[in-house]
Amino acid sequence: MFYSRIGESFIDARFAQDRRFVVGTMRRENGTVLVVQDFEPDAQGNLKPPSAVFAGENVWFDVSSQGWVVATIHFFQFVDPDNIPEEFIVDNRPKAPFKHGLILFNPAEADSLRLVFATEDREQIPGTPVFSPDGSRVAIPVGKMGEDDQWTPSDLAVFGTVSNPPVVTRLVRDATVRDVSWMPDGANVLFVKEIEGRGTIQMINLDSGNVSPLTQAAGDFGFPIASPQVARP
């Protein structure tokens, strides 16, 4: 019953902080909402209702090994359009705090929410974020929004989660980059780069910036995931 007030159905969901929380995205009319459920009972021993954190036409997120949440919002929407906070009403009309953005927060800390990046235009828009194995960094494709409101990746970036504000570093520029994942050592990032319409798997070392192509033969590859046997830090 609680969830039906927020959205229609779940798209994705993950545990956080030793299963105290579930973080997920739900479909709703004309958009997506980011939801957090705290399973720690309230003072009366009752289950707390889920919280709708952010909403947009599209929302993608990841959860770190420490339980932090990073999320991308495309085309910001108010969680409850009928109850918009007064600070977002300008000249009797709602004004969104940003159009496209990237947020970082700890669901156990009420004041931890940070807006890492926000933009109003169609350039430099973040895509699906991915935490490093130790949660200290986030890798993310960055792209452009076309006139048809379809997002196309063009760069690969990384930022640290400890510094405030986080410092964003561009690693790969002017390339169609997608399907980002981390090597277990936390020092290298796998990604797919499209060349002549085909997906090629590449790896970049964050210290040196060197890019190594991992697929030499003809083919169309996607969604690289490192073997768990690769040494961890």
Side-chain angles (χ1 to χ4, degrees), residues 6-134:
I6 297 174
E8 299 169 356
S9 61
F10 274 94
I11 302 169
D12 190 8
R14 303 178 198 181
F15 284 112
Q17 300 191 18
D18 295 325
R19 300 192 172 216
R20 173 184 167 181
F21 298 95
V22 164
V23 182
T25 46
M26 295 188 71
R27 297 179 183 87
R28 70 175 190 176
E29 186 177 1
N30 300 321
T32 307
V33 60
L34 181 67
V35 180
V36 174
Q37 172 70 67
D38 185 355
F39 287 109
E40 185 174 275
D42 62 19
Q44 288 72 43
N46 299 316
L47 179 66
K48 300 171 186 175
S51 300
V53 182
F54 269 92
E57 285 191 13
N58 291 296
V59 179
W60 298 276
F61 75 99
D62 195 18
V63 177
S64 77
S65 54
Q66 289 75 31
W68 280 74
V69 179
V70 62
T72 296
I73 299 98
H74 285 183
F75 294 105
F76 174 95
Q77 298 174 351
F78 289 100
V79 168
D80 186 353
D82 296 325
N83 294 283
I84 298 174
E86 291 185 3
E87 62 263 36
F88 299 116
I89 302 296
V90 179
D91 297 329
N92 295 319
R93 299 184 63 182
K95 180 176 175 57
F98 57 85
K99 182 176 289 185
H100 314 292
L102 183 72
I103 61 170
L104 180 69
F105 69 96
N106 183 334
E109 299 177 9
D111 299 327
S112 65
L113 181 65
R114 285 187 272 167
L115 181 61
V116 177
F117 181 81
T119 181
E120 298 295 321
D121 59 27
R122 294 179 175 272
E123 304 288 329
Q124 310 304 320
I125 299 172
T128 303
V130 184
F131 273 110
S132 63
D134 65 359

